[in-house]
Amino acid sequence: METQAVCGIEDRGRKESPPSRRLAIVHVVSSFQTGGAEQVVVDLAASQRVAGHDVLAVAIAEDPDGPRAEQLRQRGVEVHLVPKCPGFDRTLTARLAALFATKRVMLVHSHNHLALIYAAPAGWLHRVPVIHTKHGVSQDMEGRRWLRSAASAFVDAHVAVSQPTAAVVLGRREVDPPKLHVVANGIDLSRFAPDPAARARVRAELAIPEDAWVVGSVGRLSPVKNHALLVRAAARSLPRSGRLLLVGDGPERGRLAALAAELGASDRVLFAGERHDVPALLAALDVFALPSLSEGLPLALLEAMATGLPAVATDVGGVATALVDGQTGFLVPSGEVAPLAARLSELQANPALAAQMGRSGRMIALRRYSATRMADRYMDLYALLLMRHPPRVAAAVRPSALLAWIWGANRKPREITAAPDRDDGRPRGDQPSPRPPAALPS
C-alpha cells in the first residue's frame, strides 16, 4: 500500500470527506531551487488550484528564488519570497505569521526542516492547523534537533514520505507517534513514458551513438547523492562505447569531473548540467542508477520507473518501498562500488532482463505513484485536521493579525513579494498597506 498508517490515518480504502469549502492553503519551503521536495510542492499546489482552492507558496532561505517559482506561477499559485536573515532569524516566524494573516490562510503546510522551524510556530500564532512533511532523512542535522523538536510541538500532523523515513523519525523521537502519517510521493505520470523520438533527439544532441549503452542519473550533484560511487562503478562496467550521463548540477561537479579523468573515463562520463527536459533525457537512457547515501522516496527513481527503465539503486531510505529487487531492478549496498558495477554489467549483458524489469517498474509506477493519488491523500489529511481542530480563536484578534498590523507599519526591506502575474518572474518589493488588526473569518 502506497499510503499506510504509522500511528495516524489508516488507509483501508476509506477516504475522509474532502473539504466542502474553498480553502486558503500555504506551502512553505526552503527555496524554489530544483529538488524533489520542491517538485512535490509544485505538483501538490497545482492539484489544489485545479480543485478550486487558493494556494500560496512561500520560500524562506537566504537566497530562496529559483526555477520552481515560475512553475508555480504558471499553475496559478501565488508565490512569495520571505528571506531569512543569516543565522537564526528571530523575526522570520513573526513575518510569516503576519503574511498568513494578510492572506487569510486556513492551513499551513511546511516542507523539510528549515520550514518546520519557522513556519510551524507561525501557523500556531495564526491559529490554524499545521501539517509538516519530512521528505528525507539528513545525517548532518544533529545540531538542529532541539529546534526541530521545539517546532514540532506546534504541528498537528507530521507526514513521512516512506515507512523507513517514518521509522527513523520515531526512532529519533522527533514526533509524537499519534501525529505521524505516511503519504508516498507521487509524480505527474503524463510526463514520463518510453519515447523513441526523444531518445533519438537527445542522443544526437549529446553526441551519444544510437547503439551506445547508457547509464544515467538525475539529481543535484551534492555529497549525499554520492555520484562518485557511480562514476567509479561506471568506469569498471561501461563498455568502451558506453556512456554515463549525469543530469543536474551542484558543488560536486568539479570533483566528479576530476575523478572521471583520474579513472580514464572522461570520454564516457557526460555532464548535462541542470536541465528542464528530464522526461526526454530519461528516455535516452538504458538504465537508471541511484547511488545516494540517504533518501526519502526519490522522485527521480519514480520518474525513471514510469519511463520504463530498469534501476540499480542503493538500499537507503524508502528506495526499497518502490524498487522491487530482482523484479524492477536491483538494490545494492550503500557505498560499495563492486556490487553496483556488477549489477550494471549484468543488465548490460542481458537486454531481455533489463527490458522486462523496465516494463514491471512502469506498471508499478502507474499503479502506485501518481501525483493525483498523493494529492488525494493530503486532502484527506487536511479534511481530518480541519474537522479535529476547529478555529482556535472565534470573534477575537489572532496574534498573527496583530503582527500583520505591526509589520505593515514597520516594513522590513528583506521581505520580498513576487507577484504571480509579473512577466519577468522576478521579485517585487510591494507590501500590503498597514491596517489595524481585525478578526479573521473562520
Side-chain angles (χ1 to χ4, degrees), residues 21 30 63 67 104 134-135 147 150 212 214 256-257 288 307 367 390 433 440:
R21 54 180 171 163
S30 294
D63 183 18
R104 300 177 181 266
K134 191 177 186 70
H135 291 270
L147 280 174
V214 182
L256 293 170
F288 180 80
T307 306
R367 188 168 66 247
S433 301
L440 298 180

Side-chain angles (χ1 to χ4, degrees), residues 206-368:
L206 299 177
I208 298 174
E210 291 185 13
D211 60 348
W213 186 70
V214 182
V215 179
S217 191
V218 178
R220 180 168 167 76
L221 303 183
S222 62
V224 72
K225 298 299 183 180
N226 200 20
H227 290 96
L229 181 76
L230 180 55
V231 172
R232 293 182 185 279
R236 292 189 186 188
S237 60
L238 284 177
R240 293 306 305 176
S241 61
R243 298 290 186 273
L244 170 61
L245 179 61
L246 298 179
V247 180
D249 211 342
E252 290 288 285
R253 179 164 179 166
R255 192 171 77 87
L256 293 170
L259 176 62
E262 176 188 330
L263 298 173
S266 291
D267 58 335
R268 290 176 287 162
V269 179
L270 306 178
F271 294 88
E274 185 170 325
R275 300 276 296 246
H276 302 291
D277 56 344
V278 170
L281 289 159
L282 287 172
L285 305 180
D286 294 293
V287 177
F288 180 80
L290 187 80
S292 302
L293 296 171
S294 176
E295 288 286 355
L297 180 56
L299 297 189
L301 174 62
L302 305 182
E303 292 166 355
M305 291 169 59
T307 306
L309 294 174
V312 181
T314 49
D315 189 3
V316 297
V319 169
T321 64
L323 193 162
V324 182
D325 189 38
Q327 179 180 337
T328 65
F330 294 114
L331 294 170
V332 296
S334 177
E336 298 184 23
V337 175
L340 178 56
R343 289 305 195 183
L344 292 175
S345 295
E346 184 175 349
L347 289 173
Q348 193 272 330
N350 194 337
L353 174 64
Q356 178 57 47
M357 286 182 164
R359 288 191 293 269
S360 296
R362 177 165 167 77
M363 290 177 59
I364 288 175
L366 294 176
R367 188 168 66 247
R368 298 182 182 177

